[in-house]
Amino acid sequence: MSIEIAKKVLEEWFARRGLRLEYEGERELVLIEGNNKVYVRISSEEFPTESYIIDELSAAMKNRLKYNKAYIAFPRNARGLINGKLFKSHWVGVYLYDVSSALSDPDRAVEELIPSIPIQLPQGGNEEIEKRLSEIEKTIAELRSAVDGLNIKTLMRDVAELREKLLRMESTINDLINRVSRLERVGITAANTAQVSTEGGGGGELPDFLSDNPWIEVLRRRGGGGG
Amino acid sequence: MIDESKYKLNYVYAEDFGTGYFKYGPITLRDKPYMIQSRGLFLRDLPESIKLLVPKEVLERGVVVGDEIPKYLSSVRDAIRNLRYPLKDGIIRKEDEDSWRIVKELARYGFSQFYPEFARRPDFKGFFLVVALSALAPDYMRDRMIEIHRELDNEFDGKLLQAVTIIDQPFAVAIAEKAVTCTVIEAGHGNIQLVPISYGPIREGIVALNRGGAEANAITREILKDSGYGDLAKDEYVVEIVKRNAGLVPRNLDEAVKKARENPDKFSIKVKINPLVEVELRDTAWMRFLIGEIIFNPKHEVFTSYIQQGRLVIEDVTVGDMVFYGEMDMAEALITSIRKVPVEIQDKIMSTIILSGGAFSWSVPPGLEDVAVNSVDKIKIMVSERLPDLATRLSISMVKDPQFSVWKGAIIYGYALPSNVKWNERTKEGWYYLH
Ligand SMILES: Nc1ncnc2c1ncn2[C@@H]1O[C@H](COP(=O)(O)OP(=O)(O)OP(=O)(O)O)[C@@H](O)[C@H]1O
Ligand SMILES: [Mg+2]
């Protein structure tokens, strides 16, 4: 399906909703909606793969901060392949269009599948920002005096005490681990001697994936002595 | 010695830095290492709101790997630029700091899964670490690997590692396969290494080819375009699936192509990518044989037109003093390698040839046995066309576990190489002690 037709269908639909076309690129439309600038990237891919979608998304993200809203328009057939979370987390919306219904029912030729979360562009609004800044400054000053008021010394002492306790617990646990592994070793040796005695030979300690491999001897000899 | 063996039965640890996957873990895992993709995601230009949610140390390091990647993928603005595969060609350039950072992160990710448990054991005094790298890795790569692990050891208060050593991946394969004299051919994604081994790698005999699974992907992409799937051809995932399912290694390319052109029905194939997308090769079904052939012999004239039109790039490159041949066919590479080793051991080297690596994973669909072969038979056929006498003496086999044999061999190496063998620049063998 050609991009040109899709573009016409979308332009028509936006015009019916009172949006004004500001710029038209090969695959892009920029529209004016009241005070807002809306960016629309058009794809004709009916079955977009995930990596294709990520490519499109990163193309739409490139100038995201220049527009209040940004969308990607896909053919309606792509509906099931759109991962809503991915778009929402990037503040990009999705339109679905259907060229075949453009003539019979122009109103339903396009639908908004995922709305674009609008962002405020930095224009004017300086007073607002200054007001917020002085509020934040005030909060910081309050926080600072609150922190000064805290009794750091007592806190530090508590922390030291806790650390002390933790160390004691750790060494008790280590001690326990030692004892357990000693016990386990006794168990294993007992089992091994039982096995070896039936074979009547020594060794027999190696796990199967190390045994019976000529490299073990070859490499051992590099240490200058036998095994 | 007894004590050392006992210690090492618990505390040898190996890392295999593959171009596609990083395999890692301690000896106690026995046959199967842990595995994550060799890739990292840089946390660049994160939205401020997200930054607040990321742990401080992660934010400072600025890169994540493994199962951390999906957590952040949708928050990173330019996911494509920031998701990087550091070992794509097997070699990392000296000044490629981004790639080194990912390598360090991969190693750290592995250690942090195992260290806490090991640190609690009273007899644990640090791992003996074996790092497996390409046989063609230049010296600076080995040095940098040691440096990276020294830094990591410091981060763990010097308690993580006792000593580090480095092993060539094909050498590790030979150890895992219990072959003391042999030739290993390791065909990964980025390149193919042929390494003769006799009680250790014979460096003069190493031959490197500048192609691998990646070139099979490149020709698959062109085939998709020629079959009317221009858009799908852009998708690396689609290309990978089509390659693995449709690719065939021909017994003889000219005959296979002739048969497939005469009888396209027999050779046509449908590959289902997902419930919606399916690729069918019918008129172009004969091209399935190009996918396998290119690994073994890109010199065949059918590839010439692709190369002349710039649709395929296969050329020699030089890394340090090593030439990676682009077009040299597999039989010639094998013969070249064998000729470079001392005459008195040539016979032994030839008697065991071991194939490993994913780019040799080709199978023969039922009914196509007369035209298609597996990698072992392909190499036998190619050598016997060139040197019939030699072919009868070759014994070629494919490893059981192409993905894990490097890690397994590295573990065995770390276990057996005595701790009193200190690193030797000339033999490139021995332990670097970090303390
Ligand atoms: N069934 C298959 N058929 C064809 N090619 C395959 C198949 N499975 C894996 N491959 C290819 O094998 C290559 C990866 O090989 P492998 O897993 O040995 O490499 P690696 O371990 O990641 O890298 P290195 O060779 O550097 O260690 C890729 O090009 C992949 O497409
Ligand atoms: Mg490998």
Side-chain angles (χ1 to χ4, degrees), chain B residues 226-247:
Chain B
D226 289 344
S227 314
Y229 297 104
D231 265 6
L232 286 176
K234 288 184 214 143
D235 195 308
E236 197 52 39
Y237 175 75
V238 174
V239 172
E240 182 75 29
I241 303 279
V242 173
K243 170 180 85 165
R244 291 189 188 198
N245 288 284

Side-chain angles (χ1 to χ4, degrees), chain A residues 45 47 49 51 54-55 58 61 81 86 89-90 174 177-178 206-216 218-220 222-223 227, chain B residues 1 5 9 27 30-31 74 76 80 120 122 171 174-175 178-180 197 199-200 231 235 276 411-413 415-416 418 420-421 429:
Chain A
E45 188 56 65
F47 304 111
T49 60
S51 64
I54 290 178
D55 276 344
S58 56
M61 293 299 296
L81 299 170
L86 185 67
S89 63
H90 286 74
N174 268 339
I177 291 174
N178 273 338
L206 291 181
D208 42 332
F209 76 106
L210 288 177
S211 61
D212 188 26
N213 189 331
W215 278 105
I216 304 274
V218 171
L219 292 167
R220 282 232 170 113
R222 300 192 186 181
Chain B
M1 202 64 187
S5 296
L9 271 181
I27 187 169
R30 290 180 166 249
D31 279 9
S74 66
V76 170
I80 310 241
R120 262 186 259 128
F171 183 21
I175 293 174
K178 307 184 177 179
V180 180
I197 284 160
Y199 297 89
D231 265 6
D235 195 308
L276 290 172
I411 286 284
I412 299 169
Y413 182 74
Y415 170 78
N420 65 1
V421 181
E429 210 169 73

Side-chain angles (χ1 to χ4, degrees), chain B residues 16-21 23 169 173 186-188 356-358 402-404 406:
Chain B
D16 171 21
F17 287 94
T19 54
Y21 291 91
K23 298 102 177 165
Q169 286 158 345
V173 171
E186 156 84 23
S356 77
Q403 288 195 282
F404 302 145
V406 171

